[in-house]
Amino acid sequence: MAVLTGAGISAESGVPTFRGKGGLWRSYRSQDLATPEAFAANPSLVWEFYNWRRSLIAVVDCNPAHRALAQLETKVPHFTLISQNVDGLHLRAGSKNLLEIHGNIWKVRCTKCGSITANYTPDLGTSPHCHRCAGLLRPHVVWFGESLDYKLLQSAFDASRTCDVMLVIGTSAVVQPSASFPVEAKSRGAMVAEINLEPTPLSSLADMTIPGKVGDIVPRLVENWS
Ligand code: BV8
Ligand code: ZN
């Protein structure tokens, strides 16, 4: 089994999604913030945005849908969770075989020496520097126009190509390459089920679309998983 999650699974924890009402990109324009160009042009503005999100995420917790997926992992022989989310809530729920393909907002990476460290202080100020080389730190997340970590991408495609079932949970299925994982799964004969409040570009391809809130549907699905 492979599972792909997006911002919708964290919405019920209180983490704003990107494209929904009140979504992050609504109040901010993604190209102004989540791109290497934006960071090069105005690192403190980008840090303001990430410090704001870190402070938001620091006070929320994983929800029954995150915890149900951690439980489901123990019920199936081969399970891979591919998440587009950077909030770390799947880790907090206990998921083990997790691919955080867009990185993790609690990790920072030095733009000079490349060292990656976890740092849970919500507000890192608008120009945090590396303890080792004094280089400027950046969030260890994948911005638009940046390629994903090769190994993570390979593992995500492998899981998508070999699974029998793929659950696609709370994603608008517009961001690439993530939106291609269900297509890969389907092309290899997997059963693809989508759980979302509303239809997405993936809905016509999915074998099953289950409309509704992830917090209601995912725990019930896992409870009944024999
Ligand atoms: C790449 C980390 C290429 C940062 C994110 C033009 C210019 C430049 C690039 C492109 C371009 N056109 C296309 C591209 C490629 C681009 C892309 O796909 N753009 C899209 C917007 C068209 N992709 C990239 O740039 C990727 N890299 O392609 O590299 C390359 C190749 C070789 C060499 C060099 C480069 C990198 C993409 C990663 C971007 N980073 N996040 C951060 O978080 O700050 S993406 C960001 O969007 C988040 O990760 C988020 O998870 C992700 C996807 O959004 P969703 O998760 O789907 O969230 P969304 O709000 O959209 O939807 C929520 C869904 O949940 C909705 O459907 C809603 O109905 C549902 N929902 C809500 N609540 C509930 C619910 N469902 C059920 N119950 C609920 N309660
Ligand atoms: Zn450094």
Side-chain angles (χ1 to χ4, degrees):
M1 175 181 279
V3 178
L4 173 66
T5 61
I9 197 165
S10 296
E12 289 169 52
S13 291
V15 181
T17 62
F18 291 80
R19 295 166 184 80
K21 40 192 170 309
L24 284 173
W25 303 144
R26 286 258 183 285
S27 27
Y28 294 93
R29 287 152 32 87
S30 53
Q31 60 268 27
D32 297 347
L33 291 160
T35 66
E37 295 76 15
F39 187 71
N42 190 341
S44 46
L45 175 70
V46 174
W47 265 115
E48 246 179 73
F49 176 51
Y50 281 90
N51 285 330
W52 175 65
R53 287 174 66 195
R54 289 163 65 100
S55 315
L56 250 181
I57 295 164
V59 295
V60 304
D61 202 354
C62 49
N63 64 51
H66 293 109
R67 286 193 286 274
L69 288 182
Q71 216 204 339
L72 184 57
E73 183 169 2
T74 64
K75 292 185 167 192
V76 300
H78 301 284
F79 182 94
T80 305
L81 175 52
I82 306 163
S83 188
Q84 300 173 86
N85 301 339
V86 298
D87 55 34
L89 292 179
H90 283 304
L91 282 171
R92 235 191 284 175
S95 288
K96 298 273 175 296
N97 195 9
L98 167 65
L99 304 173
E100 292 186 309
I101 55 168
H102 289 163
N104 184 309
I105 202 164
W106 296 114
K107 289 180 184 165
V108 289
R109 184 169 85 235
C110 176
T111 55
K112 214 161 133 205
C113 70
S115 68
I116 298 168
T117 43
N119 183 322
Y120 294 93
T121 315
D123 188 335
L124 294 175
T126 53
S127 78
H129 283 79
C130 175
H131 293 312
R132 288 173 41 181
C133 76
L136 179 61
L137 296 176
R138 59 162 280 177
H140 183 54
V141 300
V142 180
W143 282 327
F144 288 99
E146 291 189 317
S147 38
L148 280 64
D149 171 276
Y150 179 72
K151 283 206 299 300
L152 284 175
L153 190 56
Q154 270 317 97
S155 309
F157 271 117
D158 288 350
S160 305
R161 290 176 181 143
T162 55
C163 66
D164 300 309
V165 176
M166 176 176 272
L167 303 182
V168 183
I169 302 173
T171 179
S172 57
V174 294
V175 170
Q176 290 298 347
S178 307
S180 306
F181 300 142
V183 179
E184 277 299 311
K186 185 75 191 149
S187 71
R188 303 297 174 103
M191 198 280 264
V192 175
E194 180 182 49
I195 299 169
N196 199 311
L197 284 177
E198 57 198 23
T200 71
L202 178 71
S203 304
S204 52
L205 173 135
D207 298 280
M208 194 190 285
T209 50
I210 313 170
K213 294 178 71 172
V214 291
D216 301 340
I217 296 168
V218 179
R220 275 178 35 216
L221 185 141
V222 174
E223 255 159 58
N224 295 300
W225 196 277
S226 49

